[in-house]
Amino acid sequence: MKDIKVKVLVVEDEESIRRFITLNLSAAGYLVGDTATGEEALVMLKTFVPKVVVLDLMLPGISGLEVCQKIRETMQETFVIMLTARGQDTDKILGLELGADDYMVKPFNPLELIARVKAVLRRGAGFRDPKEIFNCRDLCLNITASKFSKSNHEIELTPIEFALLRVFMENPGRTLKREEMLNTVWGDDYFGDTKTLDVHIRRLREKIEDNPSQPEYIKTVWGSGYRWQQES
């Protein structure tokens, strides 16, 4: 029986860049679909269901930010790697706020992109741990079922948010440094910075905290990282 190839969708309007990315991902063993517009991407997503989307933010018509938002609304298990130009810091942060998992700045080495794809897929595979359910006050994280609930109401988390919450609940009361969390969730070969982590923490707080501006669970340890508060 042949191995099923992981599907990757490349959304990039510049033909030379799109072809370059597609050829390298195909050579790395992925089943690659590609398109030049956000409109075409939204149509393709209905039939070509990818595990990873490599998404340029500056697209004609429907923007990459809008495509990212649509993906996150309906495809929680799909990873999004944004492509941005230098100097687009505001767009990077907005993309992460809308649910993108990672970003890369053009131009980039194709080997780095392949490493990023492998890294997000590793996150999706989860961590190997015998404990299946974590409870904290009104929160419940079910590892086996890949579900999270608050006060018995299920809340959808992205793969990154799920992985971050698991790291927190596995380490109650311990200060987790930003670099440590990046290595654990994104992998030792992650090329990005702590800004990505902080945005995902902010998104996670919005889902689990009653008042995200005054968090009861995820405490900030200034100058170091974050700590999970097990008891109220």
Side-chain angles (χ1 to χ4, degrees):
M1 182 176 177
K2 292 184 177 180
D3 293 334
I4 299 175
K5 290 187 176 182
V6 173
K7 293 181 180 179
V8 179
L9 177 62
V10 178
V11 189
E12 166 63 61
D13 62 310
E14 293 188 41
E15 184 178 357
S16 60
I17 297 177
R18 186 173 70 253
R19 181 173 175 78
F20 176 70
I21 294 173
T22 300
L23 288 173
N24 279 278
L25 287 173
S26 297
Y30 297 102
L31 179 59
V32 185
D34 67 277
T35 181
T37 69
E39 290 86 350
E40 292 174 356
L42 293 178
V43 173
M44 285 188 67
L45 287 168
K46 296 177 182 179
T47 54
F48 182 86
V49 182
K51 191 65 178 174
V52 181
V53 178
V54 179
L55 176 64
D56 183 29
L57 289 191
M58 300 297 290
L59 294 172
I62 296 178
S63 71
L65 290 173
E66 292 177 85
V67 174
C68 179
Q69 188 172 27
K70 292 290 186 182
I71 291 172
R72 197 48 71 220
E73 288 173 355
T74 59
M75 305 173 70
Q76 289 291 325
E77 297 301 315
T78 297
F79 292 97
V80 178
I81 300 176
M82 301 181 303
L83 303 182
T84 68
R86 294 190 186 281
Q88 291 180 316
D89 289 341
T90 302
D91 286 342
K92 292 175 196 171
I93 294 174
L94 183 54
L96 292 169
E97 291 280 10
L98 290 175
D101 299 286
D102 202 355
Y103 69 86
M104 294 186 64
V105 178
K106 296 188 286 188
F108 51 82
N109 187 313
L111 295 179
E112 181 183 348
L113 175 59
I114 293 169
R116 295 286 186 101
V117 172
K118 290 180 178 179
V120 295
L121 291 172
R122 282 200 301 272
R123 292 171 224 159
F127 305 99
R128 298 291 182 263
D129 189 288
K131 189 167 183 178
E132 297 179 352
I133 297 177
F134 293 89
N135 292 291
C136 179
R137 290 180 262 173
D138 61 341
L139 307 182
C140 179
L141 188 70
N142 189 318
I143 304 303
T144 303
S146 296
K147 291 183 178 181
F148 167 70
S149 62
K150 178 179 180 179
S151 300
N152 295 318
H153 295 288
E154 187 174 340
I155 298 174
E156 288 192 344
L157 301 178
T158 68
I160 291 293
E161 292 163 356
F162 194 93
L164 283 171
L165 185 55
R166 178 170 184 173
V167 171
F168 277 126
M169 296 185 80
E170 285 179 331
N171 296 277
R174 186 165 78 86
T175 296
L176 299 169
K177 294 184 177 180
R178 286 178 170 83
E179 292 75 13
E180 178 184 359
M181 297 191 72
L182 283 171
N183 289 339
T184 301
V185 177
W186 276 264
D188 293 333
D189 54 358
Y190 180 63
F191 296 89
D193 55 35
T194 58
K195 182 189 303 179
T196 301
L197 171 65
D198 293 337
V199 172
H200 284 289
I201 295 293
R202 189 183 311 139
R203 284 176 49 83
L204 182 58
R205 278 174 169 160
E206 291 173 354
K207 293 185 177 182
I208 72 171
E209 302 280 2
D210 291 333
N211 184 355
S213 63
Q214 296 181 331
E216 297 180 7
Y217 295 102
I218 303 176
K219 300 288 188 177
T220 298
V221 181
W222 297 108
S224 182
Y226 299 95
R227 184 183 68 252
W228 182 259
Q229 189 72 30
Q230 186 77 8
E231 302 297 332
S232 58

PDB file of all heavy atoms in Angstrom, residues 92-118:
ATOM      1  N   LYS A  92       1.716  40.927   9.285  1.00  0.00           N
ATOM      2  CA  LYS A  92       2.120  39.681   9.952  1.00  0.00           C
ATOM      3  C   LYS A  92       1.299  39.476  11.223  1.00  0.00           C
ATOM      4  O   LYS A  92       0.746  38.398  11.454  1.00  0.00           O
ATOM      5  CB  LYS A  92       3.603  39.733  10.331  1.00  0.00           C
ATOM      6  CG  LYS A  92       4.580  39.725   9.179  1.00  0.00           C
ATOM      7  CD  LYS A  92       5.970  39.915   9.741  1.00  0.00           C
ATOM      8  CE  LYS A  92       6.953  40.303   8.653  1.00  0.00           C
ATOM      9  NZ  LYS A  92       8.262  40.705   9.210  1.00  0.00           N
ATOM     10  N   ILE A  93       1.242  40.524  12.035  1.00  0.00           N
ATOM     11  CA  ILE A  93       0.521  40.412  13.305  1.00  0.00           C
ATOM     12  C   ILE A  93      -0.962  40.171  13.060  1.00  0.00           C
ATOM     13  O   ILE A  93      -1.590  39.322  13.706  1.00  0.00           O
ATOM     14  CB  ILE A  93       0.732  41.687  14.143  1.00  0.00           C
ATOM     15  CG1 ILE A  93       2.210  41.795  14.556  1.00  0.00           C
ATOM     16  CG2 ILE A  93      -0.173  41.686  15.377  1.00  0.00           C
ATOM     17  CD1 ILE A  93       2.558  43.081  15.259  1.00  0.00           C
ATOM     18  N   LEU A  94      -1.543  40.895  12.090  1.00  0.00           N
ATOM     19  CA  LEU A  94      -2.958  40.707  11.791  1.00  0.00           C
ATOM     20  C   LEU A  94      -3.221  39.296  11.290  1.00  0.00           C
ATOM     21  O   LEU A  94      -4.214  38.666  11.666  1.00  0.00           O
ATOM     22  CB  LEU A  94      -3.405  41.727  10.747  1.00  0.00           C
ATOM     23  CG  LEU A  94      -4.892  41.714  10.370  1.00  0.00           C
ATOM     24  CD1 LEU A  94      -5.772  41.837  11.614  1.00  0.00           C
ATOM     25  CD2 LEU A  94      -5.203  42.830   9.385  1.00  0.00           C
ATOM     26  N   GLY A  95      -2.326  38.775  10.452  1.00  0.00           N
ATOM     27  CA  GLY A  95      -2.479  37.407   9.956  1.00  0.00           C
ATOM     28  C   GLY A  95      -2.450  36.392  11.076  1.00  0.00           C
ATOM     29  O   GLY A  95      -3.255  35.459  11.109  1.00  0.00           O
ATOM     30  N   LEU A  96      -1.542  36.568  12.019  1.00  0.00           N
ATOM     31  CA  LEU A  96      -1.474  35.670  13.169  1.00  0.00           C
ATOM     32  C   LEU A  96      -2.727  35.800  14.032  1.00  0.00           C
ATOM     33  O   LEU A  96      -3.240  34.816  14.557  1.00  0.00           O
ATOM     34  CB  LEU A  96      -0.225  35.971  14.001  1.00  0.00           C
ATOM     35  CG  LEU A  96       1.117  35.634  13.334  1.00  0.00           C
ATOM     36  CD1 LEU A  96       2.269  36.225  14.141  1.00  0.00           C
ATOM     37  CD2 LEU A  96       1.299  34.140  13.170  1.00  0.00           C
ATOM     38  N   GLU A  97      -3.218  37.035  14.166  1.00  0.00           N
ATOM     39  CA  GLU A  97      -4.451  37.258  14.939  1.00  0.00           C
ATOM     40  C   GLU A  97      -5.631  36.540  14.294  1.00  0.00           C
ATOM     41  O   GLU A  97      -6.540  36.055  14.982  1.00  0.00           O
ATOM     42  CB  GLU A  97      -4.749  38.759  15.026  1.00  0.00           C
ATOM     43  CG  GLU A  97      -3.770  39.554  15.871  1.00  0.00           C
ATOM     44  CD  GLU A  97      -4.060  39.441  17.353  1.00  0.00           C
ATOM     45  OE1 GLU A  97      -4.893  38.610  17.740  1.00  0.00           O
ATOM     46  OE2 GLU A  97      -3.427  40.194  18.128  1.00  0.00           O
ATOM     47  N   LEU A  98      -5.621  36.456  12.964  1.00  0.00           N
ATOM     48  CA  LEU A  98      -6.725  35.810  12.251  1.00  0.00           C
ATOM     49  C   LEU A  98      -6.585  34.293  12.221  1.00  0.00           C
ATOM     50  O   LEU A  98      -7.462  33.606  11.706  1.00  0.00           O
ATOM     51  CB  LEU A  98      -6.813  36.357  10.821  1.00  0.00           C
ATOM     52  CG  LEU A  98      -7.280  37.808  10.699  1.00  0.00           C
ATOM     53  CD1 LEU A  98      -7.198  38.274   9.254  1.00  0.00           C
ATOM     54  CD2 LEU A  98      -8.700  37.972  11.226  1.00  0.00           C
ATOM     55  N   GLY A  99      -5.465  33.779  12.746  1.00  0.00           N
ATOM     56  CA  GLY A  99      -5.356  32.331  12.875  1.00  0.00           C
ATOM     57  C   GLY A  99      -4.245  31.669  12.105  1.00  0.00           C
ATOM     58  O   GLY A  99      -4.147  30.438  12.100  1.00  0.00           O
ATOM     59  N   ALA A 100      -3.399  32.437  11.413  1.00  0.00           N
ATOM     60  CA  ALA A 100      -2.254  31.813  10.736  1.00  0.00           C
ATOM     61  C   ALA A 100      -1.326  31.196  11.777  1.00  0.00           C
ATOM     62  O   ALA A 100      -1.207  31.698  12.898  1.00  0.00           O
ATOM     63  CB  ALA A 100      -1.504  32.842   9.896  1.00  0.00           C
ATOM     64  N   ASP A 101      -0.672  30.105  11.415  1.00  0.00           N
ATOM     65  CA  ASP A 101       0.185  29.392  12.364  1.00  0.00           C
ATOM     66  C   ASP A 101       1.626  29.876  12.337  1.00  0.00           C
ATOM     67  O   ASP A 101       2.335  29.771  13.325  1.00  0.00           O
ATOM     68  CB  ASP A 101       0.142  27.889  12.048  1.00  0.00           C
ATOM     69  CG  ASP A 101      -1.262  27.333  12.190  1.00  0.00           C
ATOM     70  OD1 ASP A 101      -1.710  27.170  13.332  1.00  0.00           O
ATOM     71  OD2 ASP A 101      -1.915  27.098  11.160  1.00  0.00           O
ATOM     72  N   ASP A 102       2.059  30.389  11.201  1.00  0.00           N
ATOM     73  CA  ASP A 102       3.453  30.796  11.050  1.00  0.00           C
ATOM     74  C   ASP A 102       3.539  31.767   9.889  1.00  0.00           C
ATOM     75  O   ASP A 102       2.590  31.931   9.118  1.00  0.00           O
ATOM     76  CB  ASP A 102       4.333  29.570  10.795  1.00  0.00           C
ATOM     77  CG  ASP A 102       5.795  29.813  11.152  1.00  0.00           C
ATOM     78  OD1 ASP A 102       6.149  30.951  11.504  1.00  0.00           O
ATOM     79  OD2 ASP A 102       6.587  28.853  11.073  1.00  0.00           O
ATOM     80  N   TYR A 103       4.683  32.436   9.754  1.00  0.00           N
ATOM     81  CA  TYR A 103       4.880  33.309   8.602  1.00  0.00           C
ATOM     82  C   TYR A 103       6.326  33.254   8.143  1.00  0.00           C
ATOM     83  O   TYR A 103       7.232  32.914   8.907  1.00  0.00           O
ATOM     84  CB  TYR A 103       4.474  34.754   8.918  1.00  0.00           C
ATOM     85  CG  TYR A 103       5.385  35.460   9.898  1.00  0.00           C
ATOM     86  CD1 TYR A 103       6.540  36.111   9.473  1.00  0.00           C
ATOM     87  CD2 TYR A 103       5.079  35.494  11.254  1.00  0.00           C
ATOM     88  CE1 TYR A 103       7.369  36.762  10.371  1.00  0.00           C
ATOM     89  CE2 TYR A 103       5.896  36.134  12.156  1.00  0.00           C
ATOM     90  CZ  TYR A 103       7.043  36.778  11.715  1.00  0.00           C
ATOM     91  OH  TYR A 103       7.859  37.408  12.605  1.00  0.00           O
ATOM     92  N   MET A 104       6.531  33.579   6.881  1.00  0.00           N
ATOM     93  CA  MET A 104       7.866  33.667   6.315  1.00  0.00           C
ATOM     94  C   MET A 104       7.964  34.955   5.514  1.00  0.00           C
ATOM     95  O   MET A 104       6.994  35.385   4.890  1.00  0.00           O
ATOM     96  CB  MET A 104       8.164  32.467   5.408  1.00  0.00           C
ATOM     97  CG  MET A 104       8.236  31.157   6.137  1.00  0.00           C
ATOM     98  SD  MET A 104       8.766  29.807   5.047  1.00  0.00           S
ATOM     99  CE  MET A 104      10.423  30.353   4.632  1.00  0.00           C
ATOM    100  N   VAL A 105       9.147  35.565   5.536  1.00  0.00           N
ATOM    101  CA  VAL A 105       9.371  36.819   4.825  1.00  0.00           C
ATOM    102  C   VAL A 105      10.081  36.526   3.508  1.00  0.00           C
ATOM    103  O   VAL A 105      11.099  35.839   3.472  1.00  0.00           O
ATOM    104  CB  VAL A 105      10.210  37.785   5.683  1.00  0.00           C
ATOM    105  CG1 VAL A 105      10.495  39.072   4.912  1.00  0.00           C
ATOM    106  CG2 VAL A 105       9.493  38.107   6.986  1.00  0.00           C
ATOM    107  N   LYS A 106       9.511  37.027   2.423  1.00  0.00           N
ATOM    108  CA  LYS A 106      10.130  36.863   1.101  1.00  0.00           C
ATOM    109  C   LYS A 106      11.264  37.875   0.926  1.00  0.00           C
ATOM    110  O   LYS A 106      11.145  39.010   1.398  1.00  0.00           O
ATOM    111  CB  LYS A 106       9.080  37.044  -0.006  1.00  0.00           C
ATOM    112  CG  LYS A 106       7.989  35.991   0.001  1.00  0.00           C
ATOM    113  CD  LYS A 106       7.087  36.096  -1.212  1.00  0.00           C
ATOM    114  CE  LYS A 106       6.147  37.271  -1.131  1.00  0.00           C
ATOM    115  NZ  LYS A 106       5.143  37.274  -2.220  1.00  0.00           N
ATOM    116  N   PRO A 107      12.344  37.477   0.212  1.00  0.00           N
ATOM    117  CA  PRO A 107      12.603  36.142  -0.352  1.00  0.00           C
ATOM    118  C   PRO A 107      13.092  35.173   0.726  1.00  0.00           C
ATOM    119  O   PRO A 107      13.586  35.596   1.765  1.00  0.00           O
ATOM    120  CB  PRO A 107      13.699  36.421  -1.374  1.00  0.00           C
ATOM    121  CG  PRO A 107      14.445  37.586  -0.815  1.00  0.00           C
ATOM    122  CD  PRO A 107      13.413  38.437  -0.127  1.00  0.00           C
ATOM    123  N   PHE A 108      12.964  33.868   0.459  1.00  0.00           N
ATOM    124  CA  PHE A 108      13.380  32.876   1.442  1.00  0.00           C
ATOM    125  C   PHE A 108      13.979  31.670   0.736  1.00  0.00           C
ATOM    126  O   PHE A 108      13.795  31.453  -0.461  1.00  0.00           O
ATOM    127  CB  PHE A 108      12.185  32.425   2.301  1.00  0.00           C
ATOM    128  CG  PHE A 108      10.990  31.990   1.495  1.00  0.00           C
ATOM    129  CD1 PHE A 108      10.917  30.717   0.968  1.00  0.00           C
ATOM    130  CD2 PHE A 108       9.947  32.871   1.270  1.00  0.00           C
ATOM    131  CE1 PHE A 108       9.826  30.313   0.218  1.00  0.00           C
ATOM    132  CE2 PHE A 108       8.850  32.480   0.526  1.00  0.00           C
ATOM    133  CZ  PHE A 108       8.797  31.198  -0.009  1.00  0.00           C
ATOM    134  N   ASN A 109      14.718  30.896   1.507  1.00  0.00           N
ATOM    135  CA  ASN A 109      15.321  29.665   1.005  1.00  0.00           C
ATOM    136  C   ASN A 109      14.245  28.572   0.970  1.00  0.00           C
ATOM    137  O   ASN A 109      13.542  28.374   1.964  1.00  0.00           O
ATOM    138  CB  ASN A 109      16.471  29.249   1.930  1.00  0.00           C
ATOM    139  CG  ASN A 109      17.269  28.076   1.397  1.00  0.00           C
ATOM    140  OD1 ASN A 109      16.702  27.077   0.966  1.00  0.00           O
ATOM    141  ND2 ASN A 109      18.579  28.196   1.443  1.00  0.00           N
ATOM    142  N   PRO A 110      14.090  27.851  -0.146  1.00  0.00           N
ATOM    143  CA  PRO A 110      13.063  26.802  -0.216  1.00  0.00           C
ATOM    144  C   PRO A 110      13.249  25.720   0.845  1.00  0.00           C
ATOM    145  O   PRO A 110      12.278  25.120   1.301  1.00  0.00           O
ATOM    146  CB  PRO A 110      13.215  26.239  -1.627  1.00  0.00           C
ATOM    147  CG  PRO A 110      14.598  26.615  -2.057  1.00  0.00           C
ATOM    148  CD  PRO A 110      14.851  27.942  -1.408  1.00  0.00           C
ATOM    149  N   LEU A 111      14.479  25.485   1.256  1.00  0.00           N
ATOM    150  CA  LEU A 111      14.718  24.483   2.302  1.00  0.00           C
ATOM    151  C   LEU A 111      14.112  24.931   3.624  1.00  0.00           C
ATOM    152  O   LEU A 111      13.641  24.116   4.425  1.00  0.00           O
ATOM    153  CB  LEU A 111      16.223  24.236   2.463  1.00  0.00           C
ATOM    154  CG  LEU A 111      16.930  23.607   1.260  1.00  0.00           C
ATOM    155  CD1 LEU A 111      18.420  23.443   1.555  1.00  0.00           C
ATOM    156  CD2 LEU A 111      16.308  22.257   0.919  1.00  0.00           C
ATOM    157  N   GLU A 112      14.118  26.257   3.849  1.00  0.00           N
ATOM    158  CA  GLU A 112      13.499  26.776   5.071  1.00  0.00           C
ATOM    159  C   GLU A 112      11.991  26.573   5.027  1.00  0.00           C
ATOM    160  O   GLU A 112      11.369  26.209   6.035  1.00  0.00           O
ATOM    161  CB  GLU A 112      13.814  28.256   5.249  1.00  0.00           C
ATOM    162  CG  GLU A 112      13.207  28.837   6.524  1.00  0.00           C
ATOM    163  CD  GLU A 112      13.454  30.324   6.682  1.00  0.00           C
ATOM    164  OE1 GLU A 112      14.288  30.883   5.942  1.00  0.00           O
ATOM    165  OE2 GLU A 112      12.793  30.928   7.542  1.00  0.00           O
ATOM    166  N   LEU A 113      11.385  26.795   3.867  1.00  0.00           N
ATOM    167  CA  LEU A 113       9.944  26.583   3.743  1.00  0.00           C
ATOM    168  C   LEU A 113       9.589  25.123   4.004  1.00  0.00           C
ATOM    169  O   LEU A 113       8.629  24.820   4.726  1.00  0.00           O
ATOM    170  CB  LEU A 113       9.453  26.992   2.355  1.00  0.00           C
ATOM    171  CG  LEU A 113       7.972  26.706   2.066  1.00  0.00           C
ATOM    172  CD1 LEU A 113       7.076  27.428   3.053  1.00  0.00           C
ATOM    173  CD2 LEU A 113       7.620  27.079   0.631  1.00  0.00           C
ATOM    174  N   ILE A 114      10.349  24.215   3.435  1.00  0.00           N
ATOM    175  CA  ILE A 114      10.099  22.790   3.649  1.00  0.00           C
ATOM    176  C   ILE A 114      10.238  22.444   5.132  1.00  0.00           C
ATOM    177  O   ILE A 114       9.447  21.665   5.686  1.00  0.00           O
ATOM    178  CB  ILE A 114      11.048  21.942   2.785  1.00  0.00           C
ATOM    179  CG1 ILE A 114      10.697  22.133   1.299  1.00  0.00           C
ATOM    180  CG2 ILE A 114      10.976  20.468   3.166  1.00  0.00           C
ATOM    181  CD1 ILE A 114      11.720  21.567   0.352  1.00  0.00           C
ATOM    182  N   ALA A 115      11.229  23.053   5.788  1.00  0.00           N
ATOM    183  CA  ALA A 115      11.408  22.818   7.224  1.00  0.00           C
ATOM    184  C   ALA A 115      10.215  23.333   8.009  1.00  0.00           C
ATOM    185  O   ALA A 115       9.759  22.703   8.980  1.00  0.00           O
ATOM    186  CB  ALA A 115      12.691  23.501   7.708  1.00  0.00           C
ATOM    187  N   ARG A 116       9.662  24.476   7.582  1.00  0.00           N
ATOM    188  CA  ARG A 116       8.493  25.030   8.268  1.00  0.00           C
ATOM    189  C   ARG A 116       7.280  24.115   8.098  1.00  0.00           C
ATOM    190  O   ARG A 116       6.507  23.904   9.029  1.00  0.00           O
ATOM    191  CB  ARG A 116       8.154  26.415   7.708  1.00  0.00           C
ATOM    192  CG  ARG A 116       9.205  27.482   7.940  1.00  0.00           C
ATOM    193  CD  ARG A 116       9.247  27.975   9.375  1.00  0.00           C
ATOM    194  NE  ARG A 116      10.171  29.078   9.521  1.00  0.00           N
ATOM    195  CZ  ARG A 116       9.819  30.356   9.582  1.00  0.00           C
ATOM    196  NH1 ARG A 116       8.550  30.693   9.511  1.00  0.00           N
ATOM    197  NH2 ARG A 116      10.729  31.288   9.733  1.00  0.00           N
ATOM    198  N   VAL A 117       7.096  23.603   6.883  1.00  0.00           N
ATOM    199  CA  VAL A 117       5.981  22.692   6.622  1.00  0.00           C
ATOM    200  C   VAL A 117       6.113  21.446   7.499  1.00  0.00           C
ATOM    201  O   VAL A 117       5.144  21.001   8.130  1.00  0.00           O
ATOM    202  CB  VAL A 117       5.912  22.305   5.132  1.00  0.00           C
ATOM    203  CG1 VAL A 117       4.887  21.203   4.905  1.00  0.00           C
ATOM    204  CG2 VAL A 117       5.565  23.525   4.277  1.00  0.00           C
ATOM    205  N   LYS A 118       7.305  20.887   7.556  1.00  0.00           N
ATOM    206  CA  LYS A 118       7.528  19.702   8.395  1.00  0.00           C
ATOM    207  C   LYS A 118       7.256  20.007   9.860  1.00  0.00           C
ATOM    208  O   LYS A 118       6.690  19.179  10.589  1.00  0.00           O
ATOM    209  CB  LYS A 118       8.959  19.201   8.219  1.00  0.00           C
ATOM    210  CG  LYS A 118       9.251  18.568   6.860  1.00  0.00           C
ATOM    211  CD  LYS A 118      10.685  18.108   6.780  1.00  0.00           C
ATOM    212  CE  LYS A 118      10.980  17.436   5.442  1.00  0.00           C
ATOM    213  NZ  LYS A 118      12.396  17.008   5.337  1.00  0.00           N
TER     214      LYS A 118
END
